């Protein structure tokens, strides 16, 4: 589009898109000291902190469920500006109410499907990442000045291997638009996808050791705007595992064979690629005519 | 006005013949004014001020046409794409490249856009390699060897920008043929020639060279900057490449960037092979080793080859000692969207949107209102064929050009039963 590129408003104005994991399979089985209600209360205080740091800061909250993803809160919408009275500030009660509605909707969508095994406990991270990136693109288009966007993933569910390609697509798109993806992982084992996401896009990945103090991790690491990050000592990644997993056994390998047509990874030499069906070592036309001949003979 | 005739070659020769019959005696530049009267698109509002032209709809329809033509060529059968590409870019630096019809000069414009092209190329094809060749004084020289590091190529090109002499297409083709002959059989051999001159000074029979290139399965494409030439057209037709002539700088950039995504690979060109590759781990923080690329001691960040344990600085690369191709899994993942592309969205007219039972007329991914601003009427939008969600036109473009994920489809959980139905 032949429009002028949008410039950031100021160094310290940020647009924070928070992706909250509401996956009931994770929260009900999590053995850590944090349950979902405490988690949400930590996050709400953190959101309040961001809003207070600068008047121009914007927050968008997207919930990542097991069966669907949806927007929960957008600070720039008029309909989401609520003033209320009561014990809790208006922001908290609004977000809590919307989260409850979302969790109910998520559950209803899940009830239609039968025979779900507990093993597939991953949430739809690729969906909420894609929605967040589209929203950020909209902010870039919105006017001559825009806040500096970044994405914060609060994730606990394990990685779903079926989402690998979509998550990588989202990561590369974020890298091109220069949007860092930060992650605060509250699950049990490290998430390889999110570690790669933070490494590739220039974000920060933290797995807090003491989950009761989650708010402190959030406030000290993730509340700071992008420009000021250069003055802080942020947690550095201990070791990002970039090894690939082979398509046949799903084990991580450090040396393997790659099909030149479809780039699938195998750990041993095969005659035929299981993904694209190409026969190795033969020109495809010969292979196709061989197959036709065999089919007509049999 | 420069009187050189520039015609856009897009295979619609019949259309141009009709125009020729009607507008005999008019130059090409006069004909463009009779065809597109851009001043008639201006509109005034009530107070007499000029209104900004709504480019969005025009832009979106151009984008959709491009997408349709792309999906039409790769329809039906799953055509393989040439993912591991070995591309030689031939830059013509003869006297014609010093012409100033592209501002400041053709050479400067070519250099600027080739730099952007190289970066985009490695972004989309991380496992591929580029080599640069220049034609100057009737001789072709190889500027850089086939390699995978964008900085080296760009630096070499920027250092050698000077134009002189004649251009020789045959010498360039011979050089490129010798370079690309040696690469392994699983790689796709491509040549991209940026030709500014209107003639070629060859030492021998160029038709023989063209046949030699055809036999070696080189796919040659040409982007001309001055006018269409028969020899370039013949070369591209014989080898299966594309020949386009740029009309202006913007068009040149567009044509050049069209060569960045992998082309559909013709079945006879591709010999599938299993390539042995290594996935190195990052070196431990604080470890000291002598790196194999710079031959100096370095601390910390780097990768260790899994076969010979040599240290390399960046990926993807080939280990200097044992020759193993070293990549990281994100490099392979960068190309997966070419193999699992998303379907184009269908256009939804304003009327269909109004009739639909969607409660809030907002785009599913960015929550922007789908109603035309200032009114209550629905504007044009797009819908995904699988998840039936509505998206605004800008999200449609972003999703297909950059993101390659449909947010609606990703936000649904498909059960295995439903998944097996959709896969079959």
């Amino acid at each position: 589009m032949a429009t002028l590129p949008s410039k950031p408003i100021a160094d310290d104005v940020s647009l924070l898109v928070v992706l909250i994991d509401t996956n009931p399979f994770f929260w009900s089985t999590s053995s850590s000291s944090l349950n979902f209600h405490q988690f949400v209360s930590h996050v709400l205080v953190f959101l309040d902190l961001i809003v207070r740091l600068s008047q121009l800061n914007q927050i968008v909250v997207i919930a990542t469920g097991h069966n669907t993803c949806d927007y929960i809160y957008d600070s720039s919408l008029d309909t989401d500006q609520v003033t209320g009275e009561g014990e809790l500030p208006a922001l908290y009660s609004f977000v809590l109410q919307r989260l409850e509605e979302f969790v109910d909707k998520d559950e209803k969508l899940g009830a239609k499907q039968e025979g779900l095994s507990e093993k597939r406990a991953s949430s739809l991270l690729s969906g909420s990442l894609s929605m967040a990136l589209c929203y950020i693109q909209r902010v870039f288009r919105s006017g001559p000045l825009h806040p500096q966007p970044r994405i914060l993933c609060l994730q606990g569910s394990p990685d779903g291997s079926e989402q690998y390609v979509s998550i990588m697509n989202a990561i590369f798109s974020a890298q091109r638009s220069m949007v860092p993806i930060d992650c605060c992982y509250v699950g049990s084992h490290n998430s390889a996808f999110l570690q790669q996401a933070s490494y590739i896009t220039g974000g920060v990945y933290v797995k807090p050791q003491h989950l009761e103090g989650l708010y402190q991790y959030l406030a000290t690491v993730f509340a700071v705007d992008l420009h000021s990050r250069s003055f802080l000592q942020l947690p550095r990644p201990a070791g990002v595992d970039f090894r690939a997993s082979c398509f046949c056994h799903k084990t991580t390998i450090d040396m393997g064979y790659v099909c030149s047509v479809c780039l699938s990874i195998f750990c041993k030499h095969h005659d035929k690629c299981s993904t694209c069906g190409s026969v190795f070592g033969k020109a495809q036309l010969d292979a196709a005519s061989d197959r036709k001949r065999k089919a007509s003979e049999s | 006005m420069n009187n050189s005739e520039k015609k856009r070659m897009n295979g619609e020769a019949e259309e141009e013949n009709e125009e020729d019959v009607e507008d005999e005696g008019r130059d090409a530049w006069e004909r463009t004014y009779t065809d597109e009267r851009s001043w008639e698109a201006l509109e005034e509002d009530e107070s007499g001020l000029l209104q900004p032209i709504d480019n969005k709809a025009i832009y979106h329809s151009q984008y959709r046409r491009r997408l349709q033509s792309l999906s039409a060529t790769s329809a039906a059968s799953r055509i393989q794409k040439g993912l591991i590409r070995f591309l030689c870019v031939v830059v013509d630096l003869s006297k014609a490249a010093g012409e100033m019809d592209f501002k400041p000069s053709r050479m400067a414009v070519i250099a600027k856009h080739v730099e952007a092209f190289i970066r985009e190329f490695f972004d989309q094809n991380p496992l591929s390699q580029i080599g640069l060749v220049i034609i100057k004084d009737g001789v072709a020289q190889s500027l850089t060897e086939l390699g995978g590091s964008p900085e080296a190529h760009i630096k070499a090109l920027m250092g050698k920008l000077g134009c002189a002499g004649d251009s020789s297409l045959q010498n360039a083709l011979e050089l490129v043929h010798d370079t690309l002959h040696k690469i392994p059989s699983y790689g796709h051999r491509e040549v991209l020639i940026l030709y500014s001159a209107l003639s070629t000074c060859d030492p021998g029979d160029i038709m023989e060279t063209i046949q030699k290139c055809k036999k070696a399965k080189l796919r040659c494409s040409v982007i001309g900057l001055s006018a269409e030439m028969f020899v370039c057209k013949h070369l591209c037709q014989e080898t299966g490449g594309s020949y386009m002539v740029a009309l202006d700088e913007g068009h040149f950039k567009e044509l050049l960037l069209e060569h960045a995504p992998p082309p559909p690979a013709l079945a006879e060109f591709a010999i599938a092979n299993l390539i042995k590759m290594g996935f190195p781990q990052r070196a431990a923080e604080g470890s000291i080793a002598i790196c194999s690329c710079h031959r100096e001691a370095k601390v910390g960040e780097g990768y260790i080859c899994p076969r010979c344990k040599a240290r390399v600085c960046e990926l993807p690369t080939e280990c200097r000692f044992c020759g193993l191709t070293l990549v990281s899994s994100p490099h392979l993942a960068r190309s997966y969207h070419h193999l699992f592309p998303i379907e184009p969205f269908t256009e939804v007219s304003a009327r269909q949107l109004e009739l639909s039972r969607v409660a809030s007329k907002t785009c599913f991914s960015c929550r922007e209102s789908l109603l035309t601003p200032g009114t209550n009427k629905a504007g044009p939008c797009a819908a995904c064929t699988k998840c039936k969600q509505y998206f605004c036109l800008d999200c449609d473009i972003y999703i297909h050009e950059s993101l390659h994920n449909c947010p609606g489809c990703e936000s649904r959980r498909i059960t295995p039963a439903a998944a097996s139905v959709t896969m079959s």
Side-chain angles (χ1 to χ4, degrees):
Chain A
M1 275 270 234
T3 47
L4 291 171
S6 204
K7 285 195 246 186
I9 296 175
D11 281 347
D12 54 353
V13 177
S14 22
L15 161 67
L16 180 62
V17 184
V18 183
L19 311 181
I20 297 188
D21 184 8
T22 64
N23 185 5
F25 286 101
F26 164 69
W27 287 112
S28 57
T29 56
S30 135
S31 54
S32 66
S33 43
L34 196 72
N35 66 27
F36 186 61
H37 290 288
Q38 290 167 336
F39 169 70
V40 172
S41 57
H42 284 281
V43 173
L44 285 174
V45 180
F46 170 68
L47 293 179
D48 200 39
L49 166 69
I50 299 282
V51 167
R52 285 174 203 278
L53 275 176
S54 164
Q55 255 195 336
L56 299 171
N57 275 350
Q58 291 178 28
I59 299 187
V60 175
V61 179
I62 301 179
T64 313
H66 181 69
N67 302 302
T68 184
C69 309
D70 203 1
Y71 282 80
I72 298 290
Y73 175 69
D74 181 350
S75 65
S76 57
L77 278 183
D78 297 328
T79 52
D80 287 4
Q81 311 281 7
V82 282
T83 49
E85 291 152 22
E87 289 176 8
L88 288 174
L91 167 66
Y92 294 10
S93 45
F94 184 79
V95 172
L96 279 174
Q97 183 199 348
R98 292 284 286 265
L99 267 179
E100 253 193 66
E101 290 167 12
F102 174 77
V103 171
D104 285 336
K105 182 172 87 164
D106 195 33
E107 201 186 322
K108 283 202 191 91
L109 281 172
K112 288 186 206 152
Q113 303 157 5
E114 298 129 14
L116 272 182
S117 62
E118 292 277 328
K119 273 192 290 185
R120 285 195 295 114
S122 60
S123 57
L124 294 174
L125 180 61
S126 55
S128 49
L129 263 180
S130 309
M131 287 166 78
L133 286 168
C134 287
Y135 184 89
I136 289 176
Q137 288 299 313
R138 171 189 162 191
V139 167
F140 282 151
R141 291 190 302 258
S142 59
L145 296 174
H146 65 87
Q148 280 192 325
R150 64 183 193 273
I151 299 181
L152 171 61
C153 275
L154 298 167
Q155 187 79 356
S157 318
D159 298 331
S161 52
E162 70 276 3
Q163 295 182 359
Y164 178 65
V165 179
S166 332
I167 293 187
M168 295 310 283
N169 285 339
I171 293 173
F172 295 132
S173 183
Q175 186 193 26
R176 285 176 84 155
S177 332
M178 295 195 286
V179 174
I181 299 181
D182 304 320
C183 175
C184 184
Y185 190 72
V186 298
S188 39
H189 306 289
N190 275 316
S191 158
F193 291 173
L194 288 168
Q195 276 180 324
Q196 288 192 20
S198 303
Y199 181 77
I200 292 175
T201 56
V204 180
Y205 175 90
V206 165
K207 181 174 181 304
Q209 288 171 325
H210 302 285
L211 284 171
E212 315 83 58
L214 178 64
Y215 171 71
Q216 191 163 358
Y217 289 94
L218 293 176
T220 48
V221 180
F222 299 112
V224 181
D225 56 274
L226 287 177
H227 175 74
S228 314
R229 279 190 182 183
S230 47
F231 308 122
L232 298 177
Q233 277 277 35
L234 292 171
R236 264 184 300 196
V240 189
D241 193 356
F242 278 126
R243 287 178 305 176
S245 33
C246 74
F247 280 36
C248 31
H249 308 111
K250 305 274 187 241
T251 47
T252 36
I253 48 172
D254 56 6
M255 252 200 304
Y257 296 91
V258 173
C259 167
S260 61
V261 173
C262 62
L263 299 187
S264 346
I265 306 168
F266 302 105
C267 46
K268 338 188 279 257
H269 207 279
H270 290 248
D271 281 331
K272 196 163 115 98
C273 174
S274 49
T275 324
C276 64
S278 0
V279 179
F280 296 124
K282 263 185 167 182
Q284 295 312 294
L285 268 188
D286 297 340
S289 60
D290 279 347
R291 275 193 292 248
K292 273 194 202 153
R293 213 166 12 100
K294 288 202 179 122
S296 59
E297 279 169 14
S298 61
Chain B
M1 185 78 186
N2 194 340
N3 269 334
S4 56
E5 297 250 291
K6 301 179 186 192
K7 281 200 182 154
R8 187 194 292 239
M9 274 300 297
N10 51 10
E12 290 166 14
E14 297 111 17
E15 231 180 303
E16 286 172 312
N17 283 337
E18 284 173 10
E19 283 178 291
D20 284 343
V21 168
E22 284 173 5
D23 297 281
E24 277 177 24
R26 284 202 220 183
D27 293 335
W29 60 272
E30 285 174 318
R31 266 177 276 164
T32 55
Y33 282 119
T34 55
D35 292 339
E36 312 159 6
R37 300 183 193 186
S38 51
W39 59 88
E40 288 183 355
L42 289 174
E43 283 172 358
E44 289 181 17
D45 62 12
E46 311 85 52
S47 51
L49 297 168
L50 283 178
Q51 270 182 343
I53 304 175
D54 180 20
N55 281 324
K56 197 159 116 160
I58 304 172
Y59 184 74
H60 189 252
S61 61
Q62 276 176 351
Y63 150 77
R64 284 206 69 82
R65 258 177 288 150
R66 204 168 61 224
L67 204 60
Q68 300 289 8
S69 66
L70 281 177
S71 60
T73 49
S74 63
S77 61
R78 259 186 50 203
I79 292 199
Q80 298 162 8
K81 297 221 175 198
L83 289 174
I84 305 189
R85 305 163 69 184
F86 293 85
L87 173 70
C88 271
V89 179
V90 178
V91 180
D92 172 18
L93 289 179
S94 60
K95 209 161 56 185
E99 295 264 336
M100 313 238 261
D101 54 357
F102 285 70
K103 303 278 176 257
S105 72
R106 286 186 188 170
M107 191 171 64
V109 166
I110 292 179
K112 185 170 88 170
H113 291 308
V114 164
E115 179 184 344
F117 169 74
I118 290 179
R119 292 193 196 281
E120 179 71 19
F121 180 84
F122 282 114
D123 195 48
Q124 298 219 18
N125 306 277
L127 300 173
S128 309
Q129 296 184 0
I130 283 188
L132 287 177
V133 171
I134 53 173
I135 311 177
K136 207 163 155 185
D137 288 321
V139 179
Q141 314 167 344
S142 170
L143 198 59
T144 56
E145 297 289 326
L146 280 173
S149 155
E151 297 304 322
H153 296 305
I154 293 170
K155 208 165 114 183
L157 178 65
M158 294 306 170
K160 272 279 200 158
L161 285 181
C163 55
D166 292 319
S167 143
S168 169
L169 194 54
Q170 183 181 11
N171 284 337
L173 286 176
E174 291 281 345
L175 179 60
V176 163
H177 176 267
D178 291 335
T179 317
L180 288 178
H181 205 55
K182 304 178 230 159
I183 63 165
S185 60
Y186 55 77
H188 286 266
R189 302 162 192 193
E190 295 174 37
V191 183
L192 179 61
I193 306 178
L194 304 174
Y195 212 64
S196 328
L198 277 175
S199 60
T200 167
C201 279
D202 298 329
D205 184 3
I206 194 171
M207 296 303 172
E208 270 178 34
T209 315
I210 293 180
Q211 291 306 315
K212 207 163 89 170
C213 291
K214 183 175 172 180
K215 241 188 275 182
K217 298 190 191 149
L218 259 61
R219 182 178 178 268
C220 305
S221 302
V222 180
I223 298 182
L225 278 98
S226 46
E228 184 196 357
M229 287 169 62
F230 171 73
V231 67
C232 297
K233 187 166 156 189
H234 182 75
L235 167 67
C236 296
Q237 270 174 352
E238 287 287 307
T239 54
S242 75
Y243 180 37
M244 303 293 247
V245 177
L247 290 177
D248 54 27
E249 187 175 335
H251 189 219
F252 175 66
K253 181 175 169 190
E254 208 182 285
L255 292 176
L256 192 55
L257 289 178
E258 259 175 28
H259 284 97
L266 304 179
E268 63 232 27
F269 285 13
I271 297 188
N273 254 323
L274 272 182
I275 314 166
K276 196 163 167 82
M277 290 199 185
F279 302 98
Q281 294 256 48
R282 256 179 106 69
E285 290 264 332
S287 67
I288 307 180
I290 301 186
C291 84
S292 54
C293 20
H294 303 102
R295 314 275 160 131
E296 48 184 48
K298 294 217 169 171
V299 189
E301 319 170 349
Y303 302 91
I304 314 266
C305 170
R307 192 151 73 177
C308 67
K309 308 289 185 269
R311 185 195 183 281
V312 292
C313 286
E314 52 175 28
L315 296 179
T317 186
E318 224 178 75
C319 175
R320 269 177 200 237
F321 301 130
C322 63
L324 183 64
T325 312
L326 299 173
V327 293
S328 66
S329 46
H331 289 125
L332 296 178
R334 245 180 233 282
S335 307
Y336 287 157
H337 72 88
H338 295 300
L339 303 165
F340 308 112
I342 50 172
E343 311 240 336
F345 292 166
T346 52
E347 262 194 64
V348 174
S349 66
R351 180 118 182 86
Q352 278 172 300
L353 180 62
E354 270 171 42
L355 289 175
S356 78
R357 275 174 275 123
V358 171
S360 69
K361 309 237 186 303
T362 53
C363 166
F364 179 78
S365 48
C366 68
R367 293 302 142 103
E368 186 159 6
S369 167
L370 289 173
L371 307 171
T372 329
T375 68
N376 242 344
K377 293 170 57 62
C381 61
C384 171
T385 48
K386 294 194 185 143
C387 60
K388 314 274 188 281
Q389 297 285 358
Y390 293 101
F391 298 95
C392 63
L393 300 182
D394 296 307
C395 280
D396 181 16
I397 296 178
Y398 173 67
I399 287 170
H400 284 95
E401 303 216 318
S402 184
L403 186 56
H404 306 290
N405 282 343
C406 167
C409 298
E410 294 301 323
S411 308
R412 276 189 320 168
R413 170 133 341 234
I414 309 183
T415 54
S420 59
V421 168
T422 51
M423 288 287 280
S424 59

